[in-house]
Amino acid sequence: MHSLSICHLYPEVLNLYGDRGNIICMEKRLLWRGIDCSVTPVRIGDSADFTKFDLFFIGGGQDFEQEVLLQDLKGSRKQDLIAAIEDGRTFLCVCGGYQMLGHSYETAAGDICEFLGAIDLKTVAGTQRRIDNFAFRLEEGLGGQTVVGYENHSGKTYLGKGVSPLGTIVKGGGNNSEDGTEGVHYKNVFGTYSHGPVLPKNPFFCDILLETALKRKYGSFTLDELDDRIEMRAHDQVLDMLLKGRI
Ligand code: GLN
């Protein structure tokens, strides 16, 4: 039987706006297809062998929680995460978890959080919080579909030269409300500002992650189709309302 092993990193601190729903969505969409799945929470201070996991989820948190994590990122944790990324393991990282992938985050108080530096990007607190439903179009290589989500962040993220965004903004702020980009796509890492949780509202995005992880593990893999008519009706309705300025 095919299977995926999912690591939920820092569930006790990075868990805003039902981000955990992304894990439930991944689990369900695997089990519905007869693919086995295990979820292992890894909390601050836990020892873990990251080479055992196929897919990592890191949710969002406030500045305070991000600062709490810094201690844990020191030492082998940082190297283990970078190794997992470079090894092509799949990551979904939301907001604070996304910011953590970059070099640093400068808070509004001027504190600099030194993060993983796994991807060439950095974040600086803006003067205004961006709190909105939003939408972005996945980059062509990922299928070009439109993801609907919800963003709530003051951080403005800037990608380094040559680093690919996850998509381009259709409506909302995304990375920095300036350059029209949203999120990051590096190797098999997907970073986004979309809370919500993002996957149940965008089942095609969930399947991109699952298929990426399964392909890495088994060489080639094509997911069976699921009946997503209800999910996509909800998605289309939200997008329509968003584009018409009703939400
Ligand atoms: N500290 C971050 C910001 O406000 C992260 C917020 C979040 O994860 N929702 O930009």
Side-chain angles (χ1 to χ4, degrees), residues 229-245:
R229 277 175 296 179
I230 292 176
E231 290 85 345
M232 287 311 291
R233 257 180 82 177
H235 168 280
D236 295 348
Q237 177 105 4
V238 169
L239 183 58
D240 187 56
M241 286 162 70
L242 186 59
L243 295 178
K244 289 180 176 149

Side-chain angles (χ1 to χ4, degrees), residues 2-222:
H2 293 107
S3 67
L4 280 185
S5 177
I6 299 177
C7 171
H8 188 178
L9 193 60
Y10 303 138
E12 78 283 31
V13 278
L14 297 182
N15 54 9
L16 283 179
Y17 314 120
D19 283 344
R20 209 184 79 80
N22 291 316
I23 298 266
I24 299 169
C25 183
M26 291 192 278
E27 259 183 306
K28 287 283 179 198
R29 294 182 72 79
L30 286 168
L31 296 177
W32 287 336
R33 290 162 160 130
I35 301 168
D36 206 9
C37 165
S38 65
V39 180
T40 307
V42 174
R43 303 181 177 86
I44 293 173
D46 285 355
S47 55
D49 178 359
F50 284 175
T51 63
K52 292 218 168 85
F53 301 118
D54 306 301
L55 212 156
F56 292 75
F57 175 69
I58 315 176
Q62 301 168 60
D63 291 7
F64 172 74
E65 281 94 20
Q66 288 177 290
E67 291 184 65
V68 165
L69 288 175
L70 289 176
Q71 198 55 34
D72 197 68
L73 287 183
K74 294 209 173 97
S76 65
R77 185 78 89 208
K78 178 172 175 168
Q79 295 318 320
D80 290 351
L81 279 168
I82 293 173
I85 290 171
E86 288 303 311
D87 206 17
R89 292 171 205 279
T90 303
F91 280 70
L92 173 63
C93 305
V94 175
C95 204
Y98 161 38
Q99 295 172 353
M100 215 175 81
L101 298 169
H103 300 294
S104 59
Y105 173 50
E106 186 177 342
T107 68
D111 298 330
I112 310 268
C113 302
E114 297 288 347
F115 284 146
L116 289 174
I119 305 179
D120 184 19
L121 59 90
K122 66 173 186 175
T123 305
V124 180
T127 47
Q128 278 185 323
R129 269 197 103 66
R130 189 89 214 195
I131 309 173
D132 261 321
N133 290 293
F134 80 132
F136 62 96
R137 212 175 111 79
L138 289 173
E139 59 172 6
E140 276 320 311
L142 294 172
Q145 278 173 284
T146 299
V147 171
V148 291
Y150 169 75
E151 58 181 330
N152 186 346
H153 55 108
S154 64
K156 294 175 127 188
T157 297
Y158 298 91
L159 305 179
K161 257 210 171 101
V163 177
S164 302
L166 183 60
T168 48
I169 285 294
V170 174
K171 187 148 185 199
N175 277 341
N176 48 50
S177 303
E178 292 163 19
D179 61 15
T181 65
E182 155 56 13
V184 73
H185 180 205
Y186 171 77
K187 292 192 175 232
N188 291 335
V189 179
F190 302 81
T192 178
Y193 269 111
S194 184
H195 287 283
V198 63
L199 298 184
K201 290 195 275 194
N202 303 279
F204 51 87
F205 185 32
C206 185
D207 285 357
I208 290 172
L209 301 173
L210 299 179
E211 206 166 88
T212 300
L214 286 159
K215 275 189 175 143
R216 181 192 172 278
K217 187 166 184 182
Y218 296 108
S220 70
F221 202 97
T222 308

